[in-house]
Amino acid sequence: MLSSQRSEILIVDDIPTNIKLLYEFLQQSNYKVSIAKNAESAFKKLEKIVPDLILLDVMMPGLDGFVVCEKLKQNPRTRDIPVIFMTALTDEVDKVKGLSIGAVDYITKPIHPDEVLARVKVHLTLRHTQMQLLSEITERTQAERELQRALEELKKTQIQLVHNEKMLSLGQLVAGVAHEINNPVNFIHANLHHAERYVEDLLSIISLYKQHIPNPPKAVANKIDELDLDYLEQDLMKILNSMSLGTSRICDIVLSLRTFSRHHEAEIKLADIHEGIDSTLTILQSHLQRSNHYPDIQVVKDYGVLPLVECYAGQLNQVFMNLLSNAIEAVNERDAHRTVENAIADPGMIKISTAIQDSRLLIRIMDNGMGVPENLRSQIFNPFFTTKSVGKGIGMGLSISYTIVTETHKGKLWCEPIPNQPGTQFLIEIPIASTKSV
């Protein structure tokens, strides 16, 4: 903060009497005073000090005051120091020239101490006010930046809290449903084997009965005709086989649900990435199958030999769910603008590949859907950004996926177009912490 006791003034003048006069009454007014007798001496002084004001003579040997002032205003270190010219010149052109190159005022020689003090006080006060304003602007700008950072952190925290609560509830729900389904389905599936054997035994008895009693009583013969016993024998085994396949499918889905949820695995652990992707695909199976004569979306897997990966498996499964769901939507959106014939000729496809590159796991999920325009690729991971219409999503999926991959797993997640093909590819890269292959 500037004050008369602390302010420093640099006098640049080649006339000793002027220097002596200015030095004495400025010292008496409690200013710090430095002296330079020419331009070269002034620049050397300014390498060591930054005065609060400069009293600069116009007519000096060597560089005149105008040139000195221009050089001061070109230097970032000295350009804001107020300069008051001291001159015997009364030509208005010279005064305009001095003010145009950055001087703030003129003092006409011969010097009058009271006038000098009055002008010095005015410009030091202005300087003090300017410095205060700059300081306040700087502080306010810094405060605004900190507030913006705090708001961004708060938004990220809110998103993460919503995600954590959502995933906790979803994980508990999925795990609970899987548990409730698991026991009765396992009971049915296990007993179907016995049921098939019992039915085969009963059918063998019927077959023996037919051999030994080819002409049964009329009532029995009528009932056999009514039931179409031959068809019933054939169809009954088909039904039992279908039931066995159905319960096997349900058991696979329950296992996939339990693998996907992993709500009981809150800590980082070694996990099979392929198992997580496959469980997600099982859950999304109904979305891959389409009606209205459009062909089902094909899934092509190009899995490499991977080690077990140290990760939060449940969170990575959520990333797979978001990316695969987006891929399915992109393919459906593309086909919405195509005929069935075109869709059959060039079917919707999602390709998933995994590999190890430079000791890091690389997962690539590609689709031949509508693609992401170049001007939107830099925004898709922003919180709440979405290209969907109102009511069809709030744009948190990719943002949460980005946080899970980059912050939780110290990896990378990015989006690229597919060269010379329609569609988009998302790439996940995460470090490998294990060497046990699966």
Side-chain angles (χ1 to χ4, degrees), residues 398-416:
L398 287 178
S399 172
I400 291 168
S401 298
Y402 187 82
T403 300
I404 290 172
V405 173
T406 61
E407 296 185 12
T408 305
H409 291 88
K410 310 303 179 187
K412 297 178 182 178
L413 172 61
W414 71 99
C415 170
E416 293 179 358

Side-chain angles (χ1 to χ4, degrees), residues 112-239:
H112 300 285
D114 290 340
E115 179 190 0
V116 173
L117 283 175
R119 293 181 185 274
V120 165
K121 286 180 180 177
V122 167
H123 291 293
L124 284 175
T125 300
L126 290 173
R127 172 71 169 163
H128 167 66
T129 304
Q130 181 188 35
M131 294 297 289
Q132 273 191 323
L133 287 172
L134 288 173
S135 177
E136 290 176 3
I137 290 171
T138 301
E139 290 176 1
R140 183 171 296 179
T141 302
Q142 181 64 28
E144 289 175 353
R145 288 174 182 166
E146 291 177 359
L147 179 59
Q148 185 63 34
R149 281 197 296 267
L151 288 173
E152 290 174 359
E153 287 297 320
L154 178 60
K155 183 182 288 187
K156 288 173 63 178
T157 302
Q158 288 175 329
I159 292 172
Q160 195 60 46
L161 286 173
V162 170
H163 168 65
N164 290 346
E165 186 64 28
K166 177 181 176 183
M167 289 308 299
L168 178 61
S169 300
L170 178 61
Q172 290 173 340
L173 175 63
V174 169
V177 170
H179 176 74
E180 291 300 321
I181 295 175
N182 189 55
N183 289 338
V185 166
N186 279 339
F187 174 81
I188 296 171
H189 187 66
N191 282 290
L192 273 174
H193 175 70
H194 301 295
E196 288 176 355
R197 194 180 68 204
Y198 297 157
V199 168
E200 288 174 353
D201 291 342
L202 291 173
L203 291 177
S204 67
I205 292 174
I206 293 173
S207 179
L208 286 172
Y209 178 82
K210 287 181 177 179
Q211 292 177 19
H212 293 285
I213 308 177
N215 299 307
K218 186 177 180 181
V220 174
N222 290 339
K223 194 64 177 178
I224 289 173
D225 291 338
E226 179 185 340
L227 295 176
D228 193 355
L229 184 59
D230 291 337
Y231 172 79
L232 187 149
E233 290 175 0
Q234 296 173 8
D235 196 49
L236 180 57
M237 292 308 300
K238 291 180 180 179
I239 290 173

Side-chain angles (χ1 to χ4, degrees), residues 7-13 19 22-23 26 31-57 68 72 78 81-86 120 124:
S7 298
E8 183 168 2
I9 300 172
L10 173 63
I11 302 170
V12 186
D13 200 325
I19 292 173
L22 289 167
Y23 182 85
L26 289 173
Y31 293 110
K32 293 180 181 180
V33 183
S34 298
I35 296 171
K37 295 183 179 180
N38 52 48
E40 183 180 353
S41 176
F43 289 126
K44 287 183 179 179
K45 284 276 186 183
L46 290 169
E47 291 176 0
K48 300 177 182 179
I49 65 170
V50 180
D52 300 296
L53 185 141
I54 297 175
L55 296 174
L56 178 61
D57 188 21
V68 172
L72 291 175
T78 58
I81 301 173
V83 175
I84 299 177
F85 276 130
M86 300 183 297
V120 165
L124 284 175

Side-chain angles (χ1 to χ4, degrees), residues 20 30 95 106 150 156 199 218 234 236 270 295-296 309 319 323 336-337 372 398:
K20 184 174 183 298
N30 294 322
K95 289 185 178 181
Y106 260 93
K156 288 173 63 178
V199 168
K218 186 177 180 181
Q234 296 173 8
L236 180 57
L270 294 176
D296 294 346
V309 179
V319 174
L323 297 183
H337 302 282
V372 179
L398 287 178

Side-chain angles (χ1 to χ4, degrees), residues 158-160 162-164 166-167 170 260 314-327 329 379-388 392-406 413-414 426 428:
Q158 288 175 329
I159 292 172
Q160 195 60 46
V162 170
H163 168 65
N164 290 346
K166 177 181 176 183
M167 289 308 299
L170 178 61
F260 176 80
Q315 292 189 37
L316 278 185
N317 289 345
Q318 179 63 22
V319 174
F320 302 148
M321 176 66 76
N322 288 332
L323 297 183
L324 290 169
S325 295
N326 283 347
E329 289 181 6
Q379 304 179 57
I380 58 175
F381 297 116
N382 294 339
F384 303 111
F385 176 81
T386 180
T387 57
K388 299 175 184 176
K392 293 189 176 181
I394 57 175
M396 287 174 60
L398 287 178
S399 172
I400 291 168
S401 298
Y402 187 82
T403 300
I404 290 172
V405 173
T406 61
L413 172 61
W414 71 99
F426 282 87
I428 305 168

